[in-house]
Amino acid sequence: MSDAAPTTIYLKDYTPFGYLIDSVHLTFDLAAHATRVTSRIAFRPNPDARDRKFFLHGEQLRLIRAAIDGAEIAPEVTDEGLTANVPNAPFVWETEVEIDPGNNTALEGLYMSNGMYCTQCEAEGFRKITFYPDRPDVMSTFTVRINGDLPVLLSNGNPTASGQGWAEWTDPWPKPAYLFALVAGDLIAYPDQFTTKSGRGVELNLWVRPGDEGKCAFGMEALKKSMKWDEEVYGREYDLDVFNIVAVDDFNMGAMENKGLNIFNSSAVLASPETSTDANFERIEAIIAHEYFHNWTGNRITCRDWFQLCLKEGLTVFRDAQFTSDMRSAPVKRIHDAIDLRARQFPEDNGPLSHPVRPESFQEINNFYTSTVYEKGAEVIGMLKRLVGDEAYSKALNLYFDRHDGQACTIEDWLKVFEDTTGRDLTQFKRWYSQSGTPRISVSESWDSGTYTLTLSQETHPTPGQTEKLPQVIPVAFGLLGPNGDEVRGTQVLELTEATQSFQFTGLAAKPNPSILRDFSAPVILDHGHSNADRAFLLAHDTDPFNRWQAGRSLAEDNLFRMITQDSAPDGQFLDGLLAVLRDGDLDPAYRALMLQLPSQSELASTLYDSGHTPDPLAIWTAIETLKQATAQHVQDLLPRLHSESLVDAPYQPDAEQSGKRALGNAALALTTRLDSGTQAAAEYDRANNMTQQLASLACLLRAGKGETQLSSFYDQWQHDRLVLDKWFGLQISLASPDATPAVALGLTQHPEFNWKNPNRFRALLGSLATNHAGFHHADGSGYQLLADWLIRLDPVNPQTTARMCTAFQTWKRYDDKRQALMRAQLTRISETPNLSRDTTEMVSRILDA
Ligand code: PHE
Ligand code: ZN
C-alpha cells in the first residue's frame, strides 16, 4: 500500500468555494516535454460562501510564476495544490506553470497520443494542467490561446482568431474546468453542417488521423441525427457556431463531452463496413448521441459536486437509450439493456463494490464511473417517467431546463422539478438514489371465483455499509392473459411501495396468467415462482415483447440450472418453445436472434450463487455447450430457412433491419457449425465482404477448434488497422477453451503488437481474459495470476484503467474455497505492491473487505 493514508471525501461535507470566477484566460505554449501554461483568472469573493480559504488544486505542475493583480507572490505549494493570501475583493490571479504531456501515460490532463496533444479533464484532470479550483460548481467562461507548430489547434467554444502557429478560442458558456479541452495535431477534417430549428448554422467537423478519413461518414450521420432528435424530443438546440469531434487512439473511456469539442476513443467513433461490426456501429451511434446530449444534460446544467454524477450520467444514458429505441427497435434495445444491466450492474450491486446511485463517500472519484451510476441511474429515470407519465415527464424536463440553465445542480434540484410539476411527494422514491443493492420481488397469487389477487413482496439484501433496507417505490408494469392466450387486462403500472402489497383484479371469466415486470419496468430481480408450463405459455402468447423474451430466457436458465445442479438433460419445453418462435417469420429477425442467445456463463454463476450454490465454472461451461449442441440438433431442419431469411441483397447498411438479419443468420451459422464442423462457416468466411460476417464466421470456426488458417490470414489482412487488430487479440482469448485460455492469453502478451500502454489493446487482451468466465477461473489460478501480473505492471502507468479492471475480481467470494484462496492471494499481492495508486488501492481494499 502507498504510505499516505487515503483520504475519504463525504457528500455531507460539501461547502461552496470561497470565490467566484468571472473569466479565465489560458495560453498554451506547446512543447512535448515542456508545455507552458499561463493562466489569468478573475476571482471575486463568493457572497454565498463562509470559508474564504484560497486553495487551488494543482498536481504534477512546475510553478514558474504566480501573481495577484500583477504583483508576484510566493504561494505555498504541496503535491495537491497551493494556498495563498488573497484580497477580500475582486482580483486577477496569474500563474505560469510547466507540464510534461509527452510523459503523461495516465491519460488525464494534457497528454500525447501519436504525436497529437489531447486533454482529458473529467473528473479531476484539469489540476494537472494549471492551478485551479478544480470542482464542478466553479463555472466560468474561457478564452484559450494555443501556440504550437501543428496544423490543427482546437479548444472549446467558437474560434475567434488564428494565424500561422496559433489559434484563439472563446467559449461564451460558463463551464466547470472538467469540460475544458484542447487538441493540437496533424489532423484531417471530415466536415459537414447542420442548421438548427431556429436557423442557426453550425459547422461540424470530425477530426481524425490521416488515413482514417474513410471511417467518418457514419459518425457524422449519427451526430446530425442526434442534433435533430434532441430538438424534436426534448426541444434542445445546439448553442455554438461549431461542433468538433476528435478521434484519439489512447483514451481511458469511450468518449468525453467537453463543450463544443467532444473527444472520442477512436473505437467509439471510427467505423466502416469492412472494419466494424454491426454491434460497433450501434455502439458508436449511441455514444455520439450520448456525448452530444450532454450539451444540455451535463454542460448547460452540470453537477454541483461529483456525488451528483448520476444527475448528468443517468439522465444522459436514459436519453441515449430513448434515441436508440427511436432509431432502431425499442424492444430489442430494452432486451439488450436488461441483459447488460444483469451482467454488469447486478454483480456490482450485490458484491463488495455495491454503492448507491448517488454515493455518499469516495476516495477516488474515477472509481465511481460505474454501471450503478450510469445504467442503474438511467433505470431510475425510466421508473420516474413511468410513474409520472410521459406528459408530466416532458413538463418536468422543460422546467428543469428553464430553472437550472447555467447552474451546477443536485439530485434534490432534479426531483424538485418533478414534485413541482406533478404535486407528487418523491421522498420515498428518492431512496433509489441513496439505497444500494438490487431489490428482489417475490410473487404469490390466488384465484377465487372471478377475482385474481396478486401479492408482491420486496426485499433488498444488506450491502456494504447498509444493513437496514427500506421498501422502495417500484413501478411494476403488469398485464393478464386468459387461458387461450388473449390479453384480458392490458398493461398497467402497479406501484409497489410497501414490503408486501396485494392487487386485485375482478370480473374475470377464468384464472388468468400474469405477465409481470413488462418492459423490464424496474431494475429488480423478479422471482416469479413460475412453473415451466407458465413460462412456455408466456413464450407462446405474451403480447409484451420483453416478457415474451424473458419467458424463453427463464426456461433456458431453468434448464441450465437443472443440468448443472441435478445432472438433468436438455429438455423439450425450452427447445420446443424456441423452435416455435424461430419458425414465426413475422417476428423481427433481431428478436429471434436474441431468443437464440443463451444466458452467459457469468449470469448463470450469479443465478447459482443467489440460490445458495457454489458456481463451478467448468460445469457451467459444459452445460451451456451441451444445451447449444442440443439446440442445434433440435432446430436443425429450420437452419437453412433461417439462413435464407437472413440474406441481404442490398448494399451493406448498419441499420436495424439489416443488422437484425445478420444477427439471426450468424446465430444460425453458429448452430450449423456444431453440425457440419465448420464447412459452411469456412465458406462464409471466404465470401464475407463486411466485418460482421468476417468476424462471425471466424468466431464459429475458432469455437469449433478450427480456423487456424483464417486466423492468420485475418491477421495479414488487418495488421495495419489497430481497431481490427484489437478484435483479433480479443477473439482468440474470448473463444479459447477453458483449459487453454490463460496460456493463449499469456502467449498473446508476447506478441510484438501487444502495445500494453494503449488502453484499447490492454482491454482487448486482458479484458477478454477476465470475461472468458471458465478460462479466467481456471482451477490452477493461472488466469488470476496473469491478470494480476499485468494490473501490477499497468498501475504506475495508468491507474484509472488498472483500477477499473480490478472489478474482474469483485465476485471472488462466490467461488469455492480453493479459488477464493487463489484470488485472495492475487488481490493481496496487488494491494502490497509498493506505491500502488490511490485508484487501485481503493478498489482492491473494497474488494478484499468483502
Ligand atoms: N463523461 C464521459 C461520458 O460518460 C465519461 C468519461 C468520464 C470520460 C471520465 C472520461 C473520463 O460521457
Ligand atoms: Zn456521459
Side-chain angles (χ1 to χ4, degrees):
M1 295 256 194
S2 51
D3 353 313
T7 328
T8 302
I9 324 262
Y10 295 92
L11 167 61
K12 62 173 166 47
D13 291 345
Y14 172 84
T15 51
F17 185 56
Y19 301 83
L20 301 175
I21 299 183
D22 291 321
S23 66
V24 175
H25 284 79
L26 300 173
T27 302
F28 288 80
D29 293 290
L30 297 175
H33 293 292
T35 289
R36 285 281 166 111
V37 185
T38 310
S39 70
R40 200 172 76 242
I41 307 171
F43 283 104
R44 72 185 144 91
N46 179 357
D48 296 332
R50 297 165 76 213
D51 183 0
R52 278 290 145 66
K53 185 173 159 221
F54 188 77
F55 173 77
L56 301 183
H57 297 103
E59 289 175 16
Q60 296 157 40
L61 307 173
R62 191 167 75 78
L63 178 62
I64 295 167
R65 191 184 92 96
I68 292 176
D69 291 330
E72 275 202 34
I73 57 154
E76 191 189 316
V77 183
T78 68
D79 283 353
E80 285 170 9
L82 64 72
T83 41
N85 291 323
V86 299
N88 190 17
F91 62 95
V92 175
W93 169 267
E94 288 169 286
T95 58
E96 196 175 331
V97 301
E98 192 179 277
I99 54 180
D100 184 357
N103 276 322
N104 180 351
T105 57
L107 315 181
E108 285 177 311
L110 180 67
Y111 65 95
M112 299 196 73
S113 170
N114 300 313
M116 156 182 160
Y117 292 83
C118 163
T119 55
Q120 173 51 48
C121 294
E122 185 177 7
E124 299 180 334
F126 192 73
R127 62 190 63 184
K128 295 182 171 179
I129 293 177
T130 193
F131 289 100
Y132 199 77
D134 188 7
R135 38 186 291 167
D137 58 342
V138 176
M139 298 170 82
S140 172
T141 58
F142 281 66
T143 301
V144 177
R145 180 178 167 119
I146 310 169
N147 301 321
D149 58 359
L150 286 158
V152 178
L153 306 170
L154 308 172
S155 190
N156 314 89
N158 295 319
T160 35
S162 63
Q164 183 64 38
W166 67 277
E168 191 185 273
W169 292 79
T170 304
D171 185 355
W173 300 103
K175 66 167 175 292
Y178 83 86
L179 291 172
F180 169 81
L182 177 153
V183 168
D186 185 4
L187 299 170
I188 311 276
Y190 182 92
D192 208 324
Q193 51 112 8
F194 182 82
T195 307
T196 69
K197 65 175 180 180
S198 69
R200 174 203 275 277
V202 185
E203 187 193 303
L204 312 175
N205 281 301
L206 178 43
W207 298 93
V208 298
R209 283 169 61 186
D212 288 336
E213 304 88 323
K215 292 182 174 182
C216 298
F218 180 80
M220 186 55 85
E221 284 309 309
L223 174 61
K224 289 187 290 179
K225 284 195 228 168
S226 307
M227 295 177 87
K228 188 140 200 314
W229 187 90
D230 214 17
E231 291 184 347
E232 286 171 355
V233 180
Y234 280 82
R236 298 295 114 199
E237 250 183 81
Y238 188 61
D239 53 5
L240 290 167
D241 305 337
V242 299
F243 188 81
N244 285 312
I245 292 180
V246 179
V248 56
D249 289 339
D250 298 282
F251 202 74
N252 284 331
M253 308 280 274
M256 179 62 212
E257 70 264 23
N258 317 299
K259 182 79 187 191
L261 178 53
N262 288 1
I263 297 183
F264 273 63
N265 186 324
S266 42
S267 75
V269 55
L270 299 182
S272 73
E274 298 71 38
T275 58
S276 314
T277 62
D278 290 331
N280 294 152
F281 280 103
E282 182 169 342
R283 173 170 177 265
I284 288 168
E285 184 178 85
I287 298 183
I288 298 245
H290 179 98
E291 306 311 332
Y292 175 73
F293 296 160
H294 267 314
N295 191 55
W296 275 93
T297 52
N299 302 4
R300 290 285 287 256
I301 304 180
T302 193
C303 302
R304 186 192 72 175
D305 53 68
W306 291 118
F307 297 103
Q308 321 295 329
L309 183 59
C310 64
L311 179 75
K312 73 179 178 81
E313 295 304 347
L315 177 54
T316 306
V317 171
F318 181 71
R319 275 152 50 69
D320 83 55
Q322 287 183 298
F323 171 78
T324 298
S325 306
D326 286 355
M327 295 298 127
R328 292 167 180 263
S329 150
V332 169
K333 171 64 175 163
R334 195 65 194 130
I335 294 168
H336 279 150
D337 283 352
I339 291 173
D340 287 350
L341 197 79
R342 288 169 178 163
R344 287 200 267 271
Q345 201 277 326
F346 283 16
E348 181 170 277
D349 220 354
N350 296 284
L353 299 175
S354 181
H355 56 276
V357 169
R358 180 171 70 175
E360 272 147 35
S361 68
F362 63 74
Q363 287 169 14
E364 172 50 63
I365 184 58
N366 282 333
N367 290 335
F368 286 85
Y369 286 77
T370 61
S371 65
T372 296
V373 170
Y374 275 65
E375 275 77 31
K376 189 177 177 183
E379 292 297 323
V380 171
I381 300 199
M383 288 189 286
L384 192 53
K385 179 164 181 280
R386 208 178 284 269
L387 288 167
V388 303
D390 294 353
E391 209 181 304
Y393 175 82
S394 55
K395 272 199 196 141
L397 267 105
N398 287 334
L399 180 58
Y400 180 63
F401 294 123
D402 286 350
R403 188 184 279 178
H404 295 296
D405 188 10
Q407 297 178 3
C409 294
T410 61
I411 289 304
E412 283 73 16
D413 296 326
W414 163 254
L415 290 176
K416 186 82 168 62
V417 298
F418 281 85
E419 292 191 324
D420 290 353
T421 355
T422 63
R424 222 181 143 105
D425 178 356
L426 293 173
T427 313
Q428 188 188 357
F429 184 82
K430 197 178 168 193
R431 283 180 198 153
W432 279 108
Y433 288 99
S434 57
Q435 189 162 288
S436 54
T438 310
R440 290 153 201 264
I441 299 187
S442 54
V443 180
S444 66
E445 36 178 358
S446 67
W447 167 250
D448 181 24
S449 52
T451 299
Y452 172 80
T453 306
L454 178 78
T455 302
L456 301 176
S457 301
Q458 57 167 308
E459 193 206 343
T460 303
H461 293 173
T463 52
Q466 283 188 358
T467 43
E468 297 298 317
K469 300 288 182 182
L470 298 166
Q472 315 252 61
V473 183
I474 305 179
V476 180
F478 174 83
L480 287 173
L481 303 172
N484 63 358
D486 290 348
E487 189 161 77
V488 292
R489 290 288 185 279
T491 304
Q492 57 176 291
V493 178
L494 310 178
E495 285 186 30
L496 177 62
T497 57
E498 323 262 313
T500 296
Q501 212 170 325
S502 293
F503 303 88
Q504 283 200 338
F505 304 86
T506 54
L508 293 158
K511 180 172 187 291
N513 282 53
S515 167
I516 311 174
L517 205 67
R518 285 183 156 182
D519 201 34
F520 196 54
S521 62
V524 298
I525 296 169
L526 176 62
D527 180 10
H528 274 99
H530 269 157
S531 69
N532 278 339
D534 297 331
R535 292 175 176 135
F537 178 86
L538 290 175
L539 176 58
H541 300 293
D542 205 325
T543 55
D544 179 71
F546 181 86
N547 264 2
R548 189 169 181 196
W549 167 81
Q550 181 61 59
R553 185 76 160 190
S554 302
L555 275 175
E557 206 172 87
D558 176 73
N559 198 167
L560 288 162
F561 186 88
R562 284 180 292 105
M563 290 168 73
I564 295 162
T565 57
Q566 298 156 30
D567 231 8
S568 305
D571 70 28
Q573 218 142 14
F574 166 64
L575 294 172
D576 289 341
L578 186 61
L579 193 58
V581 169
L582 292 178
R583 272 209 194 100
D584 185 348
D586 291 338
L587 280 176
D588 178 3
Y591 185 81
R592 285 187 280 162
L594 276 169
M595 284 285 184
L596 270 172
Q597 185 186 315
L598 292 181
S600 70
Q601 298 171 55
S602 53
E603 193 177 339
L604 275 172
S606 294
T607 309
L608 286 159
Y609 171 75
D610 271 352
S611 56
H613 297 263
T614 301
D616 172 350
L618 212 51
I620 293 172
W621 183 84
T622 308
I624 292 177
E625 286 300 305
T626 309
L627 187 55
K628 283 184 174 163
Q629 193 64 37
T631 306
Q633 270 145 9
H634 202 80
V635 307
Q636 183 166 11
D637 295 345
L638 201 61
L639 292 173
R641 199 185 108 192
L642 294 180
H643 176 70
S644 64
E645 279 181 7
S646 74
L647 295 176
V648 174
D649 298 331
Y652 179 91
Q653 282 294 331
D655 57 19
E657 191 191 326
Q658 279 197 16
S659 55
K661 285 187 170 180
R662 280 186 288 271
L664 182 60
N666 288 328
L669 182 63
L671 296 175
T672 304
T673 308
R674 290 176 181 272
L675 304 172
D676 76 353
S677 52
T679 316
Q680 193 185 334
E684 292 281 336
Y685 184 85
D686 292 337
R687 245 199 317 270
N689 58 6
N690 61 71
M691 183 49 68
T692 307
Q693 287 309 123
Q694 196 179 11
L695 206 66
S697 48
L698 180 58
C700 286
L701 291 168
L702 293 177
R703 240 185 258 113
K706 308 238 151 97
E708 277 305 313
T709 40
Q710 286 87 349
L711 191 64
S712 71
S713 73
F714 187 95
Y715 181 83
D716 295 340
Q717 184 183 354
W718 294 117
Q719 53 177 316
H720 63 279
D721 188 303
R722 58 216 185 275
L723 295 175
V724 183
L725 213 51
D726 288 338
K727 300 184 201 304
W728 180 83
F729 274 97
L731 196 68
Q732 296 176 67
I733 301 170
S734 305
L735 297 177
S737 69
D739 204 39
T741 303
V744 170
L746 177 64
L748 286 170
T749 61
Q750 278 137 25
H751 194 281
E753 290 295 327
F754 178 50
N755 309 320
W756 58 275
K757 292 182 185 173
N758 173 265
N760 289 356
R761 193 57 51 85
F762 191 93
R763 283 186 286 254
L765 206 158
L766 292 138
S768 301
L769 169 64
T771 48
N772 179 332
H773 187 259
F776 178 57
H777 292 284
H778 194 294
D780 71 3
S782 54
Y784 309 146
Q785 174 164 357
L786 182 60
L787 181 62
D789 285 349
W790 280 96
L791 293 178
I792 289 170
R793 187 145 171 199
L794 186 65
D795 186 65
V797 169
N798 185 333
Q800 200 182 331
T801 290
T802 308
R804 288 200 137 237
M805 293 191 61
C806 291
T807 53
F809 289 110
Q810 72 177 324
T811 52
W812 69 286
K813 281 259 170 149
R814 298 180 171 190
Y815 295 90
D816 55 86
D817 292 348
K818 204 174 147 235
R819 283 188 172 85
Q820 280 195 32
L822 290 165
M823 281 189 265
R824 186 199 287 112
Q826 296 306 328
L827 285 163
T828 309
R829 182 162 74 97
I830 298 172
S831 77
E832 286 170 353
T833 303
N835 301 317
L836 196 68
S837 67
R838 176 172 61 204
D839 310 55
T840 306
T841 303
E842 181 186 25
M843 289 299 272
V844 174
S845 68
R846 282 164 68 204
I847 294 171
L848 272 172
D849 277 349

